[in-house]
Amino acid sequence: MAGSGISGDTGGAKQGRGRRLARWLHSRPRAQLWFLLTAPVLWIGLVYLGSLFILLLNAFWAKDAFTGKVTPFDWTLKAVIDIATHPVYVIVAGRTLLIAILVTLTDALLAFPIAYYMARIASPRRRGALVIAVVLPLWAAYLVKTFAWRTILQGNGFLSWVLSPFGIPGPGLDELPNAWLVLSYLWLPYMILPVYAGLERIPNSLLEASADLGARAGTTFRRVILPLAFPAVVAGSIFTFSLSLGDYIVPDLVADAKFIGNLIYDNSSLGNLPVAAAYSLFPIAIMLVYLFVARRLGAFESL
Amino acid sequence: MTESGFTRTALRIGTWLVLGFLYLPLVILAVYAFNDSRAMAWPPPGLTLHWFAEAAANPAVRAAFVNSIIAGSVATAVALVLGTLSALAVQRFAFFGRETIAFILVLPIALPGVITGIALQTTFKTMGLTFGLMTIVVGHATFCVVIAYNNVVARLRRLPRTPEEASADLGADTWLTFRRITLPGMRTALLSGALLSFALSFDEIIVTLFTAGAGTQTIPIWIFTSIQRPTELPVVNVVALVLLLLSVVPVYLAQRIAGDTAAITR
């Protein structure tokens, strides 16, 4: 595929036809465009957007009382009303949002010093080593990392061993803050990398100008560096926020808590598709608003 | 601005702390692979290599590995083709709806995975498809397209247009120019895109749990189900260590291929 590169010429009629097609395409950019776009647009359009649309429809279709199957085109608002009237859905949505916001803030705070060090202080050699050091955990499997935290947090695990001299028990696997900790851990590199890139792009001359105009280091940081690095933070936050918002493995495995994803998954496994579908509209709406705001803040150029 | 000595020291300490935070869990997990007790208490009472043999002989682990490799390869192949085609269209042509297509292509990774998962599952159910490796591949390919697309778009943006124009001026047709000029220029971007999407597919569980059905396990699904069975944990430890070690391979390869670290960031 990628490595095959230039293949040997294949002979005869087949090549002749290919040549003729290529020559025909050469003067017809519209046809070239159609050739390029048809397959991807069909795939993303039909498979992805089509699926999202069917999901949307299912949120407003009724369930047959006897078979439990969704009956298409039998419109109802029952699923939406179910969600609005059962407090558990509101509580879980609030909990998920809260953790997603906390994770994003935590990662931004943790990412800044290391990203700053990488971008502006480390020697080029050390900078390269640090980028690899940050990227490596990103490639380690998500479940492996989650599992590692399970072993650390469990009753007789590493953390309780560290804390035992102080007489503090380990957290166990049913505390909500565990989800905050583990999600912050998982998505931290997604924040470090764009912030590092953002900080690296700030020209030195701006910082010198700020100093020449009498600003102290703290003022330069607040008035020059932070505003210029902010779009990069927002770009990183798209990952930390969206990935936290949709996670249902981590809350289950380390916190024994339900997130939005868990209720969607549970409802769909129990055959209650309309409720699962209706509830999933909530994170979609949140993310669309988030993406819209992020775009306004210039985050897309920093991705 | 030159940072003060105090700021430098503080930043250096912060950097080391963050690196410690990133690596400590991985080190602890690596130690557990040699744990000679079935219990997961820390510290392990003794060390053994016993579980490595057990893991290698485990039929469920082997089947899951094979499934993951097939799913990753097929999804990557589909993603490379679709991602490259759309990247060429978006980057080399001006047309109505270009921005929209660029936005829609990014949606599968911008929206939470649980949405992709439930949407695909609902559709597959509505269409009456049988869940299995095939449905897993469709899901993976859908979010891998973005990865390939992003890599190729970034490369095309930097690739000068003049060699393509020169090639056309010298009489090469569209296909020849693509094969001899554009494709070699994109090669490393395609390779790193392939590495990324294979790794992403190999690692994916949020979408996969929705599209796998009952009978098919990938490696992440096997880990997920086995984590909750205490008797399986020693084997999970070994599989986890092997995966940790394997994750070094793509980073190393990407380093070698691209020669710059920009290509390996997700």
Side-chain angles (χ1 to χ4, degrees):
Chain A
M1 174 82 10
S4 65
I6 303 165
S7 52
D9 285 348
T10 44
K14 200 174 152 226
Q15 196 203 341
R17 211 175 303 144
R19 270 278 150 79
R20 236 174 294 139
L21 178 68
R23 210 164 290 145
W24 185 83
L25 276 173
H26 183 68
S27 52
R28 289 171 183 79
R30 282 285 116 182
Q32 286 181 33
L33 187 60
W34 275 106
F35 170 75
L36 291 173
L37 273 179
T38 307
V41 164
L42 276 182
W43 184 287
I44 295 292
L46 283 183
V47 177
Y48 188 69
L49 292 181
S51 293
L52 283 181
F53 184 65
I54 290 179
L55 180 71
L56 177 73
L57 291 179
N58 268 276
F60 303 102
W61 283 347
K63 245 175 56 167
D64 188 291
F66 292 104
T67 62
K69 286 212 168 118
V70 175
T71 46
F73 306 110
D74 183 0
W75 304 98
T76 172
L77 282 174
K78 187 173 176 303
V80 179
I81 293 166
D82 271 359
I83 287 171
T85 50
H86 285 77
V88 61
Y89 290 101
V90 181
I91 293 169
V92 167
R95 174 190 301 155
T96 313
L97 266 181
L98 176 73
I99 296 288
I101 292 169
L102 285 178
V103 166
T104 301
L105 292 176
T106 310
D107 280 345
L109 279 178
L110 289 178
F112 229 94
I114 183 169
Y116 194 93
Y117 181 80
M118 285 160 71
R120 311 209 65 91
I121 296 179
S123 63
R125 205 186 151 77
R126 176 168 285 187
R127 177 182 305 166
L130 281 170
V131 171
I132 294 177
V134 171
V135 167
L136 261 176
L138 207 56
W139 287 77
Y142 161 87
L143 264 174
V144 167
K145 288 179 279 192
T146 309
F147 176 53
W149 276 103
R150 236 174 103 88
T151 66
I152 291 173
L153 294 168
Q154 69 186 357
N156 52 3
F158 182 80
L159 196 58
S160 91
W161 177 73
V162 170
L163 293 174
S164 61
F166 310 100
I168 309 168
L173 292 174
D174 48 10
E175 301 287 340
L176 186 60
N178 289 349
W180 160 74
L181 173 70
V182 176
L183 289 171
S184 300
Y185 172 84
L186 286 170
W187 315 137
L188 179 56
Y190 288 98
M191 184 63 95
I192 295 177
L193 292 170
V195 173
Y196 157 69
L199 287 171
E200 210 193 12
R201 271 197 300 266
I202 300 176
N204 262 323
S205 53
L206 282 183
L207 309 183
E208 283 157 13
S210 170
D212 288 349
L213 291 169
R216 282 182 307 171
T219 314
T220 303
F221 182 77
R222 250 195 350 267
R223 305 277 299 269
V224 180
I225 296 177
L226 267 188
L228 285 174
F230 187 66
V233 176
V234 179
S237 81
I238 295 175
F239 293 107
T240 59
F241 185 77
S242 168
L243 290 168
S244 305
L245 194 66
D247 204 306
Y248 59 93
I249 307 285
V250 167
D252 180 39
L253 287 182
V254 304
D256 197 21
K258 299 279 184 202
F259 272 24
I260 293 173
N262 299 88
L263 293 193
I264 292 175
Y265 187 83
D266 294 350
N267 269 302
S268 114
S269 333
L270 293 172
N272 202 351
L273 205 49
V275 169
Y279 200 40
S280 61
L281 299 180
F282 177 70
I284 294 181
I286 297 270
M287 269 327 287
L288 287 180
V289 172
Y290 201 99
L291 288 174
F292 181 76
V293 173
R295 205 162 116 154
R296 273 291 169 84
L297 293 172
F300 281 30
E301 284 82 56
S302 302
L303 273 177
Chain B
M1 180 179 67
T2 39
E3 292 78 7
S4 68
F6 172 76
T7 314
R8 284 167 169 265
T9 312
L11 285 171
R12 191 168 299 137
I13 293 171
T15 301
W16 280 110
L17 285 178
V18 168
L19 285 182
F21 177 54
L22 283 176
Y23 280 91
L24 180 75
L26 307 181
V27 172
I28 290 174
L29 198 62
V31 174
Y32 270 120
F34 305 95
N35 180 8
D36 77 351
S37 155
R38 276 182 182 275
M40 293 290 287
W42 185 268
L47 302 176
T48 175
L49 288 172
H50 169 72
W51 306 114
F52 283 82
E54 194 126 319
N58 187 314
V61 172
R62 288 165 158 224
F65 251 108
V66 171
N67 280 340
S68 277
I69 287 170
I70 296 174
S73 313
V74 181
T76 300
V78 174
L80 276 184
V81 173
L82 297 180
T84 307
L85 288 174
S86 41
L88 283 168
V90 166
Q91 197 55 39
R92 288 289 192 252
F93 291 88
F95 56 94
F96 177 76
R98 182 169 161 267
E99 291 284 310
T100 315
I101 286 183
F103 180 73
I104 289 169
L105 280 168
V106 187
L107 265 191
I109 50 163
L111 288 184
V114 63
I115 302 299
T116 312
I118 183 78
L120 288 175
Q121 190 193 50
T122 308
T123 307
F124 294 157
K125 269 188 191 162
T126 311
M127 290 165 66
L129 294 183
T130 330
F131 286 80
L133 204 50
M134 188 57 213
T135 46
I136 294 177
V137 167
V138 172
H140 286 193
T142 302
F143 57 73
C144 285
V145 171
V146 195
I147 308 296
Y149 166 82
N150 274 344
N151 269 278
V152 177
V153 154
R155 174 60 51 86
L156 286 176
R157 213 175 278 151
R158 281 186 288 145
L159 219 57
R161 296 289 297 268
T162 38
E164 288 176 15
E165 284 157 10
S167 163
D169 287 348
L170 290 169
D173 59 40
T174 310
W175 174 237
L176 194 64
T177 301
F178 174 74
R179 230 175 37 158
R180 292 286 173 87
I181 308 291
T182 318
L183 192 59
M186 300 191 309
R187 186 177 301 158
T188 52
L190 286 171
L191 266 173
S192 52
L195 277 173
L196 266 174
S197 55
F198 187 85
L200 199 63
S201 158
F202 204 79
D203 191 24
E204 220 292 330
I205 179 146
I206 302 271
V207 177
T208 317
L209 270 183
F210 280 100
T211 55
T216 320
Q217 283 195 329
T218 58
I219 277 292
I221 295 185
W222 178 83
I223 297 179
F224 180 66
T225 38
S226 304
I227 279 178
Q228 305 174 58
R229 297 191 200 122
T231 53
E232 295 264 24
L233 287 182
V235 178
V236 176
N237 287 330
V238 171
V239 172
L241 176 61
V242 170
L243 289 180
L244 271 187
L245 295 176
L246 281 181
S247 63
V248 178
V249 175
V251 180
Y252 173 76
L253 283 180
Q255 267 302 84
R256 287 287 302 270
I257 296 162
D260 72 325
T261 42
I264 50 172
T265 57
R266 276 187 177 175

